[in-house]
Amino acid sequence: MAESVLMDRFARKVDYLRLSVTDRCDFRCVYCMAEDMTFLPRQQILSLEELYQVAESFVALGTRKIRLTGGEPLVRSGIVGLCERIAALPGLRELCLTTNGSQLGKLAAPLYQAGVRRLNISLDSLDPQRFRELTRTGDLQQVIAGIDAAIAAGFTHTKLNCVVMQGRNDHEINDLVAFAAERQLDISFIEEMPLGAISEHSRKEAFFSSEAVRQRIAERYTLLPSTESTQGPSRYWRVAEAPAIRIGFISPHSHNFCATCNRVRLTVEGRLLLCLGNEHSADLKAVLRANPGQPQVLREAIVQAMQLKPWSHDFRLDDEVQVVRFMNMTGG
Ligand code: SAM
Ligand code: SF4
């Protein structure tokens, strides 16, 4: 198997690609999107074939893990076929997908058959009304049915993602842990990041730190620090009362996880983003379209782009938008 050849200026090995397959979504989560969003016209986004070619080049360059995301990846038509092709790339160890769960009722089994092996599913509330308020359009029962369909389809190590907001869902933290424990799912609590200009709430006022989440959980559960790491931004804890599950904390504000960063992101416009919190990027769509049928040129552009990867992000805790991209454009 080829050794990874993707390395940045700081000798960090890059072997994880997050590939956004659409900017569209059936939800409008208040921390992710404005209520009124304009989405990209079709010509501007990568075709399924182009997405596949990018994945193929990254895997040829040593990428071992690909996560499909968006927007909501499961609203892109042809997604199951794309998964099947990417999962079959020799050298790829894991094809994962992050979803809001709304389409899993019908797609969990086909995705598993296509070779997707891990799912992250977003779940911010167990109260149907609050769930609707936070997602603006989502149906809680449909998402819970989706989570159960994923379990029934054979997915293991599924992780729930929950963005915690002060005064909105912070009082549900322990109920969400109980829900995860009941189904033996991991759960990560995320601090809201300043991506995209939103007006629905003040991010500063809604900030609820990972430390505060941990204290809240400690009121009901015995948390045991864990040394496990996935090289990613999550720091994990175990719970004595539910030993099968892990609790993760993604804390872009209170914990800088850049030193071990092994990932890059591709927007559905074909822009390779070298860092979640910075604008450094390379236009792979231009390379693809100017050099059809020449994977070598694309690979060279990817290798060159690694030189642009900055050392770190620096999110500040104020309401000024530091990065204009919305999370649905970034590929969370
Ligand atoms: N639609 C899918 C979903 O919701 O899981 C995948 C894309 S979504 C952008 C990926 C993750 O980013 C979700 O878990 C979501 O909660 C999180 N997210 C979106 N906007 C965020 C923000 N401003 N700060 C922190 N997390 C955010
Ligand atoms: Fe859609 Fe995911 Fe953004 Fe929510 S977080 S609006 S589900 S892309």
Side-chain angles (χ1 to χ4, degrees):
M1 200 178 288
E3 265 305 293
S4 171
V5 290
L6 288 181
M7 187 82 83
D8 75 0
R9 289 178 294 144
F10 309 99
R12 290 175 298 192
K13 191 165 134 181
V14 174
D15 59 4
Y16 177 13
L17 172 68
R18 294 173 84 113
L19 190 57
S20 175
V21 300
T22 180
D23 61 327
R24 287 164 198 258
C25 187
D26 50 343
F27 290 4
R28 297 284 184 277
C29 301
V30 295
Y31 45 75
C32 177
M33 291 195 184
E35 187 154 24
D36 217 1
M37 292 288 285
T38 312
F39 296 108
L40 294 165
R42 183 172 268 270
Q43 339 57 283
Q44 265 182 45
I45 68 165
L46 298 184
S47 65
L48 292 173
E49 178 56 31
E50 288 169 329
L51 287 165
Y52 173 72
Q53 285 171 15
V54 172
E56 183 187 42
S57 284
F58 267 93
V59 174
L61 291 168
T63 294
R64 295 289 164 256
K65 175 171 170 182
I66 294 181
R67 175 176 297 282
L68 302 183
T69 180
E72 173 47 43
L74 300 185
V75 303
R76 174 102 197 222
S77 61
I79 185 68
V80 175
L82 178 67
C83 289
E84 198 167 8
R85 290 183 77 196
I86 294 178
L89 286 169
L92 185 72
R93 284 206 195 110
E94 209 176 23
L95 178 60
C96 316
L97 190 139
T98 301
T99 174
N100 65 24
S102 69
Q103 310 300 310
L104 281 176
K106 61 176 189 288
L107 290 182
L111 287 168
Y112 191 82
Q113 277 152 24
V116 179
R117 280 297 170 268
R118 257 184 210 247
L119 296 176
N120 284 358
I121 308 174
S122 298
L123 183 67
D124 298 327
S125 173
L126 293 167
D127 174 312
Q129 217 175 322
R130 188 165 305 103
F131 186 84
R132 169 61 60 95
E133 192 187 298
L134 293 176
T135 57
R136 291 198 182 102
T137 60
D139 179 272
L140 176 66
Q141 284 321 314
Q142 194 180 336
V143 170
I144 292 179
I147 293 170
D148 290 335
I151 297 168
F155 283 99
T156 55
H157 301 97
T158 299
K159 181 163 77 83
L160 301 177
N161 275 337
C162 172
V163 176
V164 183
M165 299 166 70
Q166 169 90 43
R168 305 293 285 271
N169 62 350
D170 62 286
H171 60 289
E172 289 199 61
I173 290 167
N174 281 324
D175 293 343
L176 285 156
V177 171
F179 177 91
E182 217 172 86
R183 287 170 169 77
Q184 306 218 335
L185 306 171
D186 290 345
I187 181 163
S188 277
F189 293 99
I190 306 174
E191 289 176 356
E192 185 176 352
M193 294 175 231
L195 296 174
I198 53 159
S199 57
E200 196 265 354
H201 61 280
S202 152
R203 282 185 165 133
K204 194 171 170 187
E205 282 168 30
F207 180 66
F208 199 84
S209 73
S210 290
E211 183 48 37
V213 176
R214 198 158 36 237
Q215 283 172 16
R216 193 64 69 74
I217 297 173
E219 289 168 10
R220 203 192 291 179
Y221 297 94
T222 316
L223 278 169
L224 310 166
S226 157
T227 51
E228 292 157 88
S229 147
T230 54
Q231 265 192 316
S234 271
R235 287 168 303 152
Y236 287 105
W237 295 66
R238 293 244 172 217
V239 210
E241 294 82 355
I245 73 159
R246 296 183 306 172
I247 301 190
F249 297 94
I250 303 179
S251 328
H253 290 286
S254 47
H255 170 70
N256 188 305
F257 41 73
C258 304
T260 55
C261 183
N262 65 337
R263 64 201 56 198
V264 292
R265 298 174 161 78
L266 190 81
T267 72
V268 72
E269 277 184 294
R271 211 174 136 210
L272 184 66
L273 296 170
L274 285 309
C275 171
L276 179 61
N278 284 287
E279 293 289 347
H280 305 70
S281 69
D283 184 358
L284 295 189
K285 181 174 69 184
V287 177
L288 268 166
R289 294 191 179 169
N291 304 279
Q294 295 185 69
Q296 206 41 50
V297 181
L298 179 63
R299 285 175 207 179
E300 193 49 42
I302 294 170
V303 171
Q304 291 299 325
M306 294 304 125
Q307 299 305 310
L308 302 172
K309 190 167 165 64
W311 171 245
S312 71
H313 70 254
D314 181 22
F315 289 141
R316 288 185 316 268
L317 192 53
D318 53 35
D319 283 324
E320 198 182 306
V321 180
Q322 288 167 250
V323 176
V324 178
R325 281 180 270 119
F326 280 94
M327 193 64 150
N328 72 309
M329 283 302 302
T330 302

